Amino acid sequence: MPSMLVLGIESSCDETGVALYSTDAAGALLAHALHSQVEMHADYGGVVPELASRDHIRRLVPLLRKVLAESRQSLAALDAIAYTQGPGLAGALLVGAAFAEALATALGIPTVPVHHLEGHLLSPLLSSRPPRFPFVALLVSGGHSQLMRVTGVGEYELMGETLDDAAGEAFDKTAKLLGLGYPGGAALAALAERGRSGMVKLPRPMLKSADLDFSFSGLKTAVLIKVRELASVSEQQRADIARGFQDAIVEVLVSKALRAVKASGLRQLVVAGGVGANHELRCRLDAQAAHARIAVFYPELEFCTDNGAMIALAGALRLQAGVSSKPAGAFAVRPRWPLTGA
Ligand code: KG4
Ligand code: ZN
C-alpha cells in the first residue's frame, strides 16, 4: 500500500487536538498541535459543554494551519481525515466531525471516524519503544477505567471495567474535596508527594474480588468522611489524605492490571489515558511488573491525555488494516459508544 498522509482531529471534551501522521516506511507523526481549555473551564469547577463546543470552533482552523506549516505539507497532500466520533460531549464531537467531514468533502478524500478510546489504546505505538500486538491495555482516563485484551487494530476484548466512577474521575472528585482546582488529577498527585504513606488509611475497593472490575466511588466517599472527621485540615493532613488516596487507587490498578496480564497469558501491558501520566502508578507498576517479567509500555507523557496524534494514528492504522473509511459527507456522532462490540 502506498504511504498515506492522515489528518487527525480530536474534540471530544476540553482539548482541541490536530495532528498529521504519515504511514511511510517508518510510520511517523509529522506534526501535532493542541489547545487545552482547562483555564477556561477552571472558574466553573468542571467542563461547561456549550463553552467547550464554541472554543473548539475557534481553535480548529488555527491549529490545522499550524500543523500544516510545521510539517511543510499542504491540504492537497492529505489522503484521509480521521476524527473522534465518540464517546464524548455531543456538541464538542459535532464540531470536530462537521469540520472533518466538510474539509474532506471539499478535498474529495475519505474520512475515518475513530473511537476516542481506540486512540488512547493505540497511543503507546507513537512512542520510540512501541509494544507489539497482542497486549493487555489498562485504560485509565477521566471517563473510563477498563482492562482490554488488544489482539490487533479493531480487535478489542473487554476484560474488566469500573462499575461506577472512572479512576480519573475519582482523582478529580477527591481533588475537589481537598480544595484543588479542576481537573485535579495532576495537582492531587503533586500534593500526595508531600504526604506520608500510611498516615491515612483508606479502603482498597474490590482489590480481592475474583473479577477484573473496579469501583472507585467509595474511595471518594471515604475521603469525604475523613475530611469531615477533622475539624480543620492542616496542610500536612491534606497531603497525607492525598497520599492515602493515591496509594489506594494505585494499589488496586496495579494489582488488577497485572492479574489481567497473567490471566491473558500475554507478557505485555500497555497503560493509556490521563491517569497513565501518574508518576506513582508508573513507579509501582514498573517495579511489580519487572518482578513478574511483564513488560510495561506507556505513551509519551504529552500523549497520555487527550490529543490529536492518537486519533491520526488510529485513523492511519485503521486505513492500513482495511478496517474502515467512508466517503466524506453524511455523518453522526456517538456521545455514548462502547469500544467493544462497536
Ligand atoms: O485521557 P484524558 O485526557 O481524558 C479522558 O479521555 O477522559 O484523562 C484526563 C484525566 C483527568 O481525570 C485527570 O485528572 C487525570 O486524567 N490525570 C491524572 C494525572 N494527569 C491527568 N490523574 C492522576 N495523576 C496524574 N498525574
Ligand atoms: Zn481521553
Side-chain angles (χ1 to χ4, degrees):
M1 191 183 277
S3 85
M4 282 174 297
L5 194 59
V6 181
L7 179 71
I9 291 173
E10 156 63 31
S11 71
S12 66
C13 190
D14 56 354
E15 256 112 23
T16 323
V18 178
L20 209 50
Y21 186 89
S22 161
T23 65
D24 63 15
L29 182 65
L30 300 185
H32 67 101
L34 186 78
H35 176 79
S36 167
Q37 304 177 352
V38 163
E39 260 176 44
M40 183 181 78
H41 297 296
D43 290 348
Y44 305 91
V47 178
V48 184
E50 180 59 23
L51 294 183
S53 310
R54 292 183 201 184
D55 201 60
H56 286 306
I57 294 174
R58 273 194 292 272
R59 307 293 172 184
L60 278 168
V61 171
L63 288 175
L64 172 61
R65 290 211 168 110
K66 189 166 176 228
V67 161
L68 289 174
E70 267 175 28
S71 59
R72 298 169 187 270
Q73 297 287 346
S74 67
L75 285 177
L78 297 181
D79 293 301
I81 302 180
Y83 64 89
T84 305
Q85 186 181 25
L89 300 170
L93 289 166
L94 276 169
V95 173
F99 181 85
E101 294 287 350
L103 183 57
T105 301
L107 297 172
I109 56 175
T111 54
V112 191
V114 168
H115 195 293
H116 180 78
L117 295 185
E118 179 171 35
H120 277 303
L121 270 189
L122 300 176
S123 61
L125 297 176
L126 288 166
S127 76
S128 49
R129 192 183 69 100
R132 284 168 178 257
F133 297 117
F135 52 77
V136 170
L138 170 67
L139 212 143
V140 272
S141 69
H144 295 83
S145 293
Q146 300 183 328
L147 278 161
M148 202 82 80
R149 185 192 173 100
V150 181
T151 308
V153 176
E155 294 176 63
Y156 313 118
E157 187 193 324
L158 187 65
M159 301 179 78
E161 64 182 334
T162 181
L163 305 179
D164 40 56
D165 291 354
E169 193 178 357
F171 264 96
D172 293 340
K173 287 179 175 170
T174 303
K176 213 173 204 175
L177 282 174
L178 295 176
L180 303 165
Y182 173 87
L188 184 77
L191 182 61
E193 294 270 308
R194 302 198 294 276
R196 296 164 296 177
S197 218
M199 291 301 285
V200 175
K201 293 212 171 57
L202 293 169
R204 269 65 174 152
M206 297 184 71
L207 180 66
K208 300 266 186 279
S209 68
D211 52 40
L212 294 170
D213 291 332
F214 306 102
S215 165
F216 296 121
S217 71
L219 197 48
K220 161 205 71 197
T221 310
V223 171
L224 179 64
I225 293 167
K226 281 272 182 263
V227 172
R228 284 203 183 139
E229 272 171 12
L230 301 163
S232 67
V233 186
S234 72
E235 195 49 36
Q236 185 58 54
Q237 282 170 327
R238 272 174 84 231
D240 291 344
I241 294 172
R243 180 67 185 255
F245 168 82
Q246 183 172 264
D247 283 350
I249 205 160
V250 164
E251 187 178 334
V252 176
L253 289 175
V254 169
S255 161
K256 291 246 160 153
L258 293 182
R259 246 204 277 160
V261 182
K262 285 174 195 162
S264 72
L266 303 176
R267 294 243 151 247
Q268 297 183 105
L269 175 68
V270 155
V271 182
V275 181
N278 188 273
H279 182 63
E280 186 66 18
L281 175 66
R282 289 184 174 216
C283 287
R284 297 250 197 118
L285 204 47
D286 285 343
Q288 295 192 30
H291 193 66
R293 292 169 182 256
I294 290 166
V296 192
F297 300 84
Y298 307 93
E300 308 294 341
L301 273 182
E302 62 180 331
F303 299 138
C304 276
T305 44
D306 292 349
N307 63 84
M310 67 182 193
I311 303 303
L313 170 77
L317 293 182
R318 287 186 81 84
L319 280 172
Q320 279 185 316
V323 182
S324 75
S325 77
K326 67 172 203 61
F331 68 93
V333 293
R334 305 178 72 175
R336 289 176 176 276
W337 183 15
L339 178 56
T340 44

